[in-house]
Amino acid sequence: MQMDRIRMTGRKDILIDPIPQHYWNAAAKDVSARFELKGAPEFKIDVISFPKNSFPHSLTPETLNAYLEGRRLAHTDQSFEILESPEITTGPAKFRIFGERALTLRYSYSQDEIKIVRAENWVEYDQIIYIVAIEAPANAFQLEFRDAKSSFNSMSYLRK
């Protein structure tokens, strides 16, 4: 049986399972890859990656809480609200990248009178920091998060 996979090419090629109803947006800037829901660009899944040595801090809940607080201070005019702070837990993982438990943070803001929820899932893997950010209107966020989670749980390097 053959299963289609998405291949993201770069310094290391990455494979993931397809994200239902999403397409790759080649015009997206400032991200490694962006996937959008067909006909609804406010539904976004961004993949961001950068070398660990370009991030001057340890990847900890404290560092990400400081980042989250900076986001809040920069967006006070958009009804910014912190919904979930990152923490290390022993229960089931909310999100995995390369099989590693990600640190998840979640916040909301207003955009054109619509409440948007954004979850960022951070992990360091193989000396690279990966962020998978899921963004959607609040009333549909859980479904978008579930679709992204199931696809990104399959994330792996292409073995040559």
Side-chain angles (χ1 to χ4, degrees):
M1 180 166 89
Q2 183 176 355
M3 183 168 82
D4 292 330
R5 306 272 318 240
I6 296 170
R7 180 177 178 175
M8 294 183 283
T9 58
R11 199 169 93 199
K12 294 186 179 193
D13 291 358
I14 297 171
L15 296 174
I16 64 168
D17 288 346
I19 307 165
Q21 310 301 315
H22 286 71
Y23 72 96
W24 173 56
N25 180 343
K29 304 288 185 229
D30 301 325
V31 295
S32 301
R34 172 169 290 157
F35 302 93
E36 292 180 358
L37 192 60
K38 292 179 180 168
E42 63 275 9
F43 289 79
K44 297 178 212 159
I45 300 170
D46 290 339
V47 179
I48 303 158
S49 63
F50 49 89
K52 166 63 178 119
N53 61 11
S54 69
F55 190 65
H57 311 285
S58 296
L59 190 56
T60 65
E62 293 76 23
T63 300
L64 292 181
N65 277 316
Y67 159 79
L68 192 54
E69 184 62 21
R71 300 281 300 181
R72 185 185 69 75
L73 292 172
H75 298 284
T76 56
D77 60 332
Q78 293 179 301
S79 303
F80 189 94
E81 182 182 356
I82 296 171
L83 303 174
E84 178 182 352
S85 296
E87 62 182 358
I88 296 175
T89 64
T90 57
K94 290 183 181 97
F95 205 91
R96 289 190 177 272
I97 301 171
F98 292 113
E100 300 287 324
R101 180 187 297 264
L103 287 171
T104 299
L105 57 93
R106 197 177 301 200
Y107 55 89
S108 67
Y109 63 93
S110 294
Q111 176 181 315
D112 301 325
E113 299 182 25
I114 298 171
K115 183 177 180 180
I116 301 292
V117 175
R118 181 176 171 96
E120 296 182 13
N121 304 280
W122 294 60
V123 73
E124 179 186 338
Y125 183 80
D126 199 22
Q127 297 297 309
I128 299 173
I129 292 180
Y130 292 93
I131 304 166
V132 176
I134 299 113
E135 194 170 298
N139 62 352
F141 178 80
Q142 283 305 112
L143 180 59
E144 184 74 351
F145 189 84
R146 189 191 74 208
D147 286 348
K149 180 179 179 173
S150 64
S151 292
F152 282 93
N153 276 342
S154 73
M155 194 169 178
S156 64
Y157 286 141
L158 176 66
R159 304 288 181 217
K160 296 179 184 183

